[in-house]
Amino acid sequence: MVEIFIVLALLVTFSFVALKYFVKQEDTKTYQYKVKGPIMSAQQTAFYNALKEAVGEHGVIVSKVNMSTIITPKQQANKKQWFIANNLIAKSYFDFVVCDPRTMQVRVIIEYDNGDKLHPGKVERQKLIMQVCKSAGIPLIGASVKLSYQVSKLRRLLAAHIDLIEPEKEVRFCKRCGSPMTIKTAAQGEFKGRRFFTCSRHPACQYTENYNVVFEDENLPLQ
Ligand SMILES: [Zn+2]
């Protein structure tokens, strides 16, 4: 019995010494690095440029933002659960984040679909992004590769979330009674937080209009 303890003690001591030795070696070693490539692919760059044009001065676009930079798990039942939730987002990133230019608060997340076939990794990522955005209450826009160069469509999608229209420049009249319309923000319901136009004669006139019905193409359904 005693022998076993001695052997065990020796083993433990040995592993400690070995660990210390190797860790020290690692510490002093200087690794070499090289540039992997541009921060975005050519396709992503084209999309980014279209996005930049769509957003203009009304937002700041940040690319490849680690999820845990802007999101953190809510209080969980226990610490372990919190760490699991945190691990889920720690290694993942958002393709594009549009922020308010003054406060840098996150306004909308844009997930860029490069048109690749669906594979398990891609499905997992999409599920995670949808779940994370939904639970954190951040609007998410999925933009496919086809949207890349269509600035007007991007604008349409973005208009509900950021101030693309300068209210003093945008004068709109009620289609029912001809009175000027005012911009309001939905306080509740499915479209909470979204802006819309309402007739200045409200409640006498009930006419409302989507905030983003400014652009020619009306065929694109809102996401
Ligand atoms: Zn009206």
Side-chain angles (χ1 to χ4, degrees):
M1 200 64 189
V2 179
E3 285 93 334
I4 294 170
F5 273 117
I6 292 170
V7 170
L8 259 177
L10 276 174
L11 269 174
V12 169
T13 317
F14 174 76
S15 58
F16 265 120
V17 171
L19 202 69
K20 238 185 174 168
Y21 176 77
F22 283 118
V23 167
K24 240 186 183 158
Q25 285 283 322
E26 290 289 301
D27 280 348
T28 49
K29 205 177 201 170
T30 312
Y31 293 101
Q32 300 298 312
Y33 298 93
K34 61 174 184 173
V35 173
K36 209 168 153 188
I39 196 163
M40 286 181 230
S41 69
Q43 225 177 27
Q44 280 174 321
T45 308
F47 179 77
Y48 172 76
N49 286 330
L51 193 58
K52 216 166 67 176
E53 207 171 315
V55 169
E57 303 279 293
H58 305 282
V60 173
I61 305 160
V62 197
S63 171
K64 303 207 171 158
V65 180
N66 190 294
M67 284 187 181
S68 48
T69 307
I70 53 177
I71 274 168
T72 189
K74 282 181 188 162
Q75 193 79 46
Q76 302 293 321
N78 56 52
K79 253 192 176 158
K80 197 183 160 200
Q81 293 285 311
W82 191 92
F83 278 110
I84 293 170
N86 196 51
N87 273 345
L88 273 175
I89 58 166
K91 282 182 200 148
S92 212
Y93 61 87
F94 294 121
D95 282 342
F96 297 100
V97 178
V98 181
C99 306
D100 184 296
R102 286 156 299 166
T103 61
M104 289 306 273
Q105 291 278 357
V106 175
R107 283 280 170 264
V108 54
I109 294 201
I110 298 163
E111 173 69 2
Y112 173 72
D113 186 347
N114 57 9
D116 278 0
K117 271 193 195 149
L118 280 179
H119 54 81
K122 189 171 170 174
V123 173
E124 276 306 303
R125 179 180 157 77
Q126 288 184 347
K127 274 206 282 196
L128 176 68
I129 287 177
M130 281 195 275
Q131 155 63 14
V132 162
C133 288
K134 197 178 168 199
S135 97
I138 303 177
L140 170 71
I141 292 174
S144 75
V145 70
K146 285 174 269 168
L147 269 171
S148 292
Y149 309 95
Q150 300 176 19
V151 176
S152 63
K153 280 194 179 176
L154 282 173
R155 274 202 169 143
R156 247 177 74 83
L157 292 170
L158 287 162
H161 310 294
I162 55 172
D163 284 307
L164 290 177
I165 308 164
E166 286 155 62
E168 63 274 14
K169 284 185 191 165
E170 171 79 11
V171 184
R172 225 186 261 199
F173 296 97
C174 176
K175 288 201 175 70
R176 204 170 286 164
C177 72
S179 308
M181 299 193 83
T182 48
I183 297 171
K184 292 243 171 80
T185 306
Q188 55 196 9
E190 196 189 337
F191 299 110
K192 189 182 167 185
R194 283 206 186 173
R195 299 176 187 85
F196 63 100
F197 280 95
T198 172
C199 180
S200 56
R201 281 185 58 236
H202 184 90
C205 175
Q206 298 278 329
Y207 185 78
T208 60
E209 214 167 65
N210 279 340
Y211 187 75
N212 47 0
V213 188
V214 219
F215 308 101
E216 294 304 302
D217 187 355
E218 295 299 309
N219 303 323
L220 193 81
L222 277 177
Q223 288 184 4

